[in-house]
Amino acid sequence: MHSILAVDDSASMRKMVSFTLVGAGFQVVEAVDGVDAFEKAQKQRFDLVLTDQNMPRLDGIGLTRKLREHPNYAATPILILTTESSDQMKQAGRAAGATGWLVKPFDPNRLIEVIRKVIR
């Protein structure tokens, strides 16, 4: 079973994402922001990281950069799921090492489809 780290400062968004992913057969660990996520990623290995962009303490792009510096996450798919949709923001995500960019509100079927395409 693939494990996914779901990162969002909104509790309701984390619950919605978790519900969708668990229903599709994934194991999910939730994190409340980038700092929490990075700490969890150092203790456990995840097959994919799904992160919000706008969060306190450490945003999604900052988290992506930190994870890419960690040998365990150099090639792990990292998807940014956010309300941000500007090309400038997407480019910053790509430059940080994000695998993909999904815009909220998300379509559960599309989210699962994208995850299945990129997960190893």
Side-chain angles (χ1 to χ4, degrees):
M1 181 185 293
H2 290 294
S3 62
I4 296 175
L5 179 59
V7 192
D8 202 304
D9 56 321
S10 159
S12 59
M13 184 53 70
R14 280 195 314 274
K15 292 290 169 229
M16 238 164 32
V17 166
S18 274
F19 178 80
T20 300
L21 299 178
V22 168
F26 296 105
Q27 181 184 358
V28 179
V29 172
E30 297 178 14
V32 298
D33 63 25
V35 172
D36 184 35
F38 191 70
E39 288 168 0
K40 287 178 176 167
Q42 288 177 304
K43 293 180 185 133
Q44 182 182 341
R45 189 90 183 260
F46 295 97
D47 299 306
L48 182 136
V49 177
L50 181 66
T51 182
D52 183 22
Q53 166 50 21
N54 298 313
M55 299 180 290
R57 299 203 302 165
L58 183 62
D59 67 16
I61 289 173
L63 172 62
T64 300
R65 273 195 207 99
K66 279 188 78 138
L67 287 171
R68 288 297 181 224
E69 291 168 2
H70 196 287
N72 285 352
Y73 291 94
T76 301
I78 300 173
L79 298 175
I80 298 179
L81 176 65
T82 180
T83 54
E84 297 281 348
S85 60
S86 74
D87 287 340
Q88 191 178 1
M89 196 59 108
K90 289 177 185 174
Q91 254 177 314
R94 268 196 297 276
T99 310
W101 192 278
L102 299 158
V103 179
K104 293 176 188 170
F106 70 94
D107 168 3
N109 294 327
R110 175 86 180 112
L111 178 63
I112 299 302
E113 183 185 312
V114 170
I115 288 172
R116 289 208 167 113
K117 271 187 191 154
V118 299
I119 207 162
R120 293 182 176 85

